[in-house]
Amino acid sequence: MNVGRDTFARISRSSLRCGRRRFFATAVLTALGLTFVAGQQQPATAVYTADQAAAGRDAYQASCAACHLNDLRGRNEAPALAGPNFMTAWGKRSTRELFELISSTMPPGRANLTAEQYNSIIAYLLQSNGAVAGTQPFIASGATGATIAAVATGQAPVPAAAQPGGGRGQATAAGQAAGTGRGQAAGQGGGGTGAGRGQAPAGPRGVTFAGEVKNYVNVTDEMLRNPPAGDWLMARRNYQGWSYSPLSDVTRANVKSLRLAWSWAMNDSAGANENMPVVHNGIIYLVSPGNIVQALDGPTGDLIWEHRLGPDNQIGIGPMRNSAIFEDKLLVATTDARLVALDAHNGRKLWETPLGEAGTNYSTTSGPIVAKGKVIQGLQGCDRYGPIRCYISAYDANSGKQLWKFFTIAQSGEPGGDTWGKITDDFRKGGETWIAGSYDPELNLTYWGVAQAKPWMTSSRGNTVFDGSLYSSSTLALNVDSGKLAWHYQHVPGESLDLDEVFERVLVDIGDQKVVFSIGKVGVLWKLDRRTGKFLGYKETVFQNIFDRIDPKTGVPTYRADVIENQIDKWVQGCPSTEGGHNWQAMSYNQPAGLLIIPLSQSCMELSARKVEFTPGSGGTAALRRFFEMPGSNGNVGRLAAFDVATMKEVWSREQRAAFLTAVLSTASGLGFVGDLDRRFRAFDVRTGDTLWETRLGTSVQGYPVSFAAGGRQYIAVTTGLGGGSPRQVPRTITPEISHPNNGNALYVFELPEKR
């Protein structure tokens, strides 16, 4: 699937002809750079009123702050909306253009505010960038087309009204624009954890529905090593990350009789839903958006207890993908980066530990794993310039005390610290770990994928693709007792197109060979020796033209020349897009068949780097994106394929228009389960990919299907969900005809009819 530069140019011209109408410059664009100083010339006539900006602030808090944050500095795929980075992107463009883009695309998936609300939000953004208020309201239809730089300076007004909300450590709008939330000193990074994240006034906290799990059985180390067949105790079910159930009552012969047993509505108002329940002894432990933890009876769906941990509102894209269970404790990471142990019997809090220091901008979207009594957790929120950096850390399961941490971005004087070129320590960003790791008890190593360096493109970052930027885009093998690095393998040194390698690590024994498989956004399936990290092989699973070649002996990829030479404000084309050939939707290893079954996506993009202001609190992702169909895909975004673990050869594949938005679950009876954007949840034959059963659910099927047993019966559970990053934005752009309700987060549980 490798192609040369000339071939790429021909493919790109062809794809642009067939896909130009589907190009989309997302509102989630980060463009950073020019400094606009206070005191710049103000416009002769103001273009909004103070009352309108106040109304816009409220509308922004309700509909925008979840992703772009309360301080308007943005996070991940959501760009800065205030300050010099915003002015770099928008200073030369008109207020009318800003209105048209926001009103047609934001909020993602539900662009349904009124024209008056959008006008008010523009007024608030102008106020937050130093434009003065006047007597006439901003109305986009009557806007003159003046550039934003003609009416705004990029500096927040002083004094500024305090932001609404009851987050931890309230700050003024001016302070937040400077990155001073939650008691943080001015200029020290990316905004406050509470006030900087669009939190609404807090709702009820603690146990909000009291009850007791009857006959609870403690989860032991041995149960985690060898999970009972009917349980789902951790991310992807077992330490090896297989997403595989040994249950076999539901078969290829009877799956057509599968029916809904019950469903449970989940919170719709607090961000994305990409959930993987924990199930123990027939009790489902579910984390809903808004950090709502519930225990449900597996056979009936009855609520046993509920604990609201808060915060209520979305942080960034906001999903919580998994939790963990050990002894009598349910271990939950909250979206604002706290690690909490709840009593699995009744939901009462046993202990709580912050994952980062006060004033940091950390968050989490995946929960922990537990190994040898240690709760091991990753982090997000490391894209802002300043002293903080991400790490993987371990905590005592009984007390919550931190035992060790491993920093995922190497600094000067540390191993790997010489791989960042001329970038000094406070400007080395990225390296998030937002997918839970795997564990090999025999080797006592835990395996984690690390996200890319930030900003996305090297011309924005200030180094080159020849600067590896460790430990970004790598697999890390850490000793569970000490947290020390046993080995690392960097899949994509100097990654430069937001095509990271953070996703699941799947551990498979092939004869005497101990292997770890992973697959990232480029869609390359990597095979490593998990004892040493030695490269063993690779397989391209979707069309890619990012790399001219991958060395078959070392696995080292070589970027195309124009990717290597990327420049500020110059478009670079590539396949796959930031949707990823593979993303968070986990693959399954079906042990009886010896197959990896992988949900894949097919789309392409253009990226344009933006200049970044190298000052504390700046940074981010810093690129503009446009998406289009993948050449040769016939418009099919969704692809499901199976690969032999020994040979890495493709055994079968199936394509469809709708993107797959769930992980794959496979079972011992030769069944696989997967769900998609078009609300379809289906069972397929693991050996052929043929669909054997399907049903249509209330909204898009999104999350991690699981299987469990209770009362002698097998159940299949899956969530429907909304929200998310590129895996939702890209299909919305290139498959706009696929529609679904903009509510409907829920858990669905299926069963076979009772035998009579």
Side-chain angles (χ1 to χ4, degrees):
M1 290 187 181
N2 290 317
V3 297
R5 191 173 182 182
D6 292 341
T7 304
F8 169 76
R10 290 194 297 273
I11 291 173
S12 297
R13 286 192 293 270
S14 172
S15 65
L16 288 172
R17 284 195 295 272
C18 72
R20 179 69 68 180
R21 63 185 176 85
R22 299 194 177 173
F23 266 151
F24 174 71
T26 68
V28 189
L29 313 172
T30 307
L32 307 175
L34 295 175
T35 301
F36 288 74
V37 297
Q40 274 189 299
Q41 184 177 357
Q42 294 291 337
T45 304
V47 296
Y48 71 94
T49 68
D51 287 346
Q52 187 182 34
R57 179 190 63 197
D58 292 341
Y60 176 89
Q61 291 295 318
S63 299
C64 311
C67 293
H68 296 273
L69 304 189
N70 200 341
D71 63 6
L72 289 83
R73 289 293 182 106
R75 162 68 61 82
N76 294 332
E77 297 183 10
L81 296 178
N85 296 332
F86 171 76
M87 295 300 291
T88 299
W90 283 94
K92 296 180 181 179
R93 302 173 71 178
S94 71
T95 54
R96 182 181 295 172
E97 287 181 88
L98 181 60
F99 173 90
E100 289 174 350
L101 182 59
I102 290 177
S103 63
S104 64
T105 63
M106 293 288 111
R110 50 186 178 92
N112 55 2
L113 303 180
T114 66
E116 182 180 5
Q117 286 174 308
Y118 283 118
N119 281 325
S120 296
I121 289 171
I122 299 298
Y124 174 58
L125 298 185
L126 293 174
Q127 180 190 66
S128 300
N129 283 282
V132 297
T135 59
Q136 296 297 317
F138 173 79
I139 301 175
S141 60
T144 63
T147 65
I148 290 173
V151 298
T153 66
Q155 294 292 320
V158 180
Q163 300 281 10
R168 298 170 293 172
Q170 192 63 42
T172 65
Q176 288 166 340
T180 61
R182 215 171 113 187
Q184 189 172 336
Q188 292 303 306
T193 300
R197 296 185 181 189
Q199 288 184 220
R205 293 288 184 271
V207 176
T208 49
F209 187 93
E212 186 86 15
V213 173
K214 305 300 182 184
N215 303 314
Y216 182 85
V217 176
N218 274 10
V219 175
T220 65
D221 272 316
E222 177 57 30
M223 291 166 69
L224 293 180
R225 286 172 175 256
N226 298 287
D231 280 2
W232 197 284
L233 301 178
M234 66 186 77
R236 305 181 298 277
R237 191 182 176 275
N238 64 358
Y239 277 145
Q240 293 74 29
W242 287 0
S243 296
Y244 165 80
S245 171
L247 297 176
S248 58
D249 288 350
V250 182
T251 68
R252 285 173 285 190
N254 64 23
V255 69
K256 61 181 178 295
S257 299
L258 209 60
R259 67 182 187 185
L260 182 67
W262 55 268
S263 62
W264 178 262
M266 299 170 68
N267 188 9
D268 270 328
S269 63
N273 191 33
E274 300 172 3
N275 196 270
M276 182 186 339
V278 158
V279 190
H280 175 46
N281 273 0
I283 305 300
I284 298 174
Y285 297 94
L286 187 68
V287 183
S288 279
N291 302 286
I292 301 169
V293 186
Q294 297 163 327
L296 304 167
D297 182 79
T300 67
D302 292 337
L303 179 65
I304 300 173
W305 58 255
E306 175 183 277
H307 190 123
R308 292 180 176 249
L309 293 169
D312 298 331
N313 281 11
Q314 175 180 352
I315 295 175
I317 61 173
M320 183 50 59
R321 295 182 177 88
N322 70 281
S323 54
I325 193 166
F326 177 61
E327 295 179 341
D328 60 347
K329 302 171 188 68
L330 183 70
L331 290 311
V332 180
T334 62
T335 52
D336 65 342
R338 292 172 290 134
L339 190 61
V340 182
L342 301 179
D343 189 321
H345 299 82
N346 51 39
R348 293 173 185 162
K349 187 185 293 184
L350 299 174
W351 55 257
E352 177 177 317
T353 299
L355 292 169
E357 305 80 16
T360 56
N361 202 43
Y362 292 126
S363 63
T364 54
T365 61
S366 66
I369 63 170
V370 179
K372 297 180 72 174
K374 298 175 180 65
V375 187
I376 307 173
Q377 177 66 46
L379 270 179
Q380 287 180 261
C382 309
D383 58 345
R384 303 275 192 91
Y385 291 153
I388 72 167
R389 49 180 172 156
C390 275
Y391 48 81
I392 302 164
S393 49
Y395 303 81
D396 181 87
N398 290 318
S399 66
K401 179 183 177 181
Q402 188 178 93
L403 302 174
W404 55 256
K405 61 182 176 182
F406 179 87
F407 289 101
T408 55
I409 293 299
Q411 293 195 336
S412 302
E414 298 175 350
D418 59 351
T419 62
W420 283 81
K422 297 179 180 179
I423 301 177
T424 55
D425 288 346
D426 281 0
F427 301 97
R428 301 178 178 192
K429 292 298 143 188
E432 297 87 348
T433 47
W434 51 275
I435 297 292
S438 303
Y439 174 53
D440 184 330
E442 181 181 335
L443 298 178
N444 198 34
L445 296 177
T446 182
Y447 303 87
W448 291 71
V450 182
Q452 74 281 60
K454 305 291 190 310
W456 283 337
M457 303 183 77
T458 52
S459 54
S460 298
R461 245 182 356 249
N463 64 359
T464 75
V465 300
F466 303 108
D467 299 312
S469 303
L470 287 172
Y471 293 95
S472 67
S473 297
S474 298
T475 294
L476 303 181
L478 304 178
N479 181 282
V480 162
D481 294 331
S482 65
K484 291 183 178 179
L485 182 67
W487 57 260
H488 79 277
Y489 180 88
Q490 190 169 43
H491 302 275
V492 187
E495 197 284 317
S496 194
L497 295 174
D498 182 29
L499 298 175
D500 58 305
E501 300 283 337
V502 73
F503 310 110
E504 72 276 9
R505 268 51 186 170
V506 177
L507 315 184
V508 178
D509 291 346
I510 306 171
D512 294 333
Q513 192 176 56
K514 293 184 175 294
V515 172
V516 51
F517 286 100
S518 66
I519 179 171
K521 285 189 180 181
V522 182
V524 175
L525 179 64
W526 305 97
K527 185 178 186 179
L528 306 177
D529 185 309
R530 69 176 186 267
R531 293 186 182 95
T532 65
K534 179 183 178 182
F535 171 77
L536 299 176
Y538 76 95
K539 175 70 175 181
E540 296 181 28
T541 65
V542 297
F543 172 74
Q544 73 85 13
N545 51 29
I546 305 301
F547 306 136
D548 275 341
R549 69 184 296 269
I550 299 174
D551 189 299
K553 293 183 178 180
T554 65
V556 175
T558 301
Y559 271 123
R560 285 191 343 255
D562 59 328
V563 177
I564 295 172
E565 298 160 4
N566 74 87
Q567 301 175 36
I568 300 295
D569 294 330
K570 300 293 184 183
W571 289 100
V572 177
Q573 297 178 357
C575 303
S577 77
T578 57
E579 177 186 23
H582 181 68
N583 208 295
W584 61 263
Q585 304 96 313
M587 60 181 147
S588 176
Y589 172 53
N590 188 267
Q591 186 181 36
L595 297 178
L596 293 170
I597 304 114
I598 310 176
L600 303 164
S601 296
Q602 301 181 132
S603 61
C604 299
M605 65 181 175
E606 287 188 325
L607 275 81
S608 176
R610 290 292 179 261
K611 185 178 179 182
V612 177
E613 181 190 13
F614 280 82
T615 59
S618 183
T621 50
L624 186 75
R625 296 176 297 166
R626 305 193 293 213
F627 305 117
F628 58 96
E629 291 177 356
M630 180 175 282
S633 68
N634 295 318
N636 291 313
V637 177
R639 174 174 159 84
L640 189 66
F643 299 86
D644 183 280
V645 292
T647 65
M648 300 185 78
K649 291 182 178 179
E650 183 180 292
V651 176
W652 55 259
S653 69
R654 296 289 182 269
E655 295 184 348
Q656 62 178 45
R657 180 76 167 149
F660 291 107
L661 291 180
T662 74
V664 170
L665 160 69
S666 71
T667 72
S669 57
L671 288 175
F673 293 86
V674 70
D676 66 30
L677 177 67
D678 201 24
R679 303 189 289 126
R680 299 185 187 278
F681 182 52
R682 70 191 64 191
F684 61 89
D685 189 318
V686 160
R687 297 182 183 276
T688 65
D690 294 339
T691 297
L692 302 176
W693 167 88
E694 73 173 35
T695 188
R696 214 162 189 203
L697 303 182
T699 192
S700 48
V701 191
Q702 179 168 279
Y704 294 78
V706 306
S707 186
F708 66 94
R713 306 182 69 191
Q714 181 181 358
Y715 296 86
I716 307 294
V718 69
T719 53
T720 50
L722 303 166
S726 289
R728 297 302 296 251
Q729 295 164 9
V730 178
R732 184 165 66 90
T733 303
I734 64 177
T735 58
E737 78 283 1
I738 298 177
S739 60
H740 54 78
N742 288 321
N743 64 323
N745 289 348
L747 174 69
Y748 292 80
V749 177
F750 297 90
E751 65 181 359
L752 292 173
E754 288 192 73
K755 295 179 181 179
R756 296 185 183 276

